[in-house]
Amino acid sequence: MNYKVKVNDKVKVITGKDKGKIGKVLRLLKDKKKIVVEGINMIKRHSKPTSAKNSQGGIIEKEAPFDISNVMLVCNSCVKPTRVKMHILEDGKRVRKCQKCNEFIDTK
């Protein structure tokens, strides 16, 4: 399934405990239809000390994935959450287009 959100896009959370927050997309889990956004849906994990990564152990805060339908893409030019329209250029390349200001989201 093709999603209109990509890694490093700015998105706004439209529902849930972090409603209204804006963050950058870190990962897309396409098979599970989930998304990981920087600073959104933070959880705490208790970890034991290990010799490799976590030599001290303790409580680690990190982002948890949540459903991709809970976010909207933020347009770079109008800085508003928007729906995305796919536009085909003359050379056949598909680019994303903001429906509010009709500007291209992808660079050509």
Side-chain angles (χ1 to χ4, degrees), residues 68-99:
I68 199 165
S69 65
N70 295 341
V71 297
M72 282 185 84
L73 183 67
V74 175
C75 178
N76 294 330
S77 54
C78 64
V79 194
K80 294 179 183 175
T82 181
R83 291 189 177 145
V84 179
K85 184 186 285 187
M86 296 307 285
H87 184 77
I88 300 173
L89 299 175
E90 296 84 30
D91 61 351
K93 186 177 178 185
R94 294 178 66 206
V95 292
R96 298 177 294 168
K97 192 174 188 181
C98 175
Q99 282 195 342

Side-chain angles (χ1 to χ4, degrees), residues 5-16:
V5 177
K6 296 180 181 177
V7 176
N8 293 327
D9 281 344
K10 286 173 74 176
V11 292
K12 183 174 184 176
V13 180
I14 57 173
T15 184

Side-chain angles (χ1 to χ4, degrees), residues 28-39:
L28 281 172
L29 307 171
K30 290 184 180 183
D31 54 334
K32 296 181 181 178
K33 299 180 184 174
K34 302 228 179 235
I35 190 169
V36 178
V37 181
E38 185 176 38

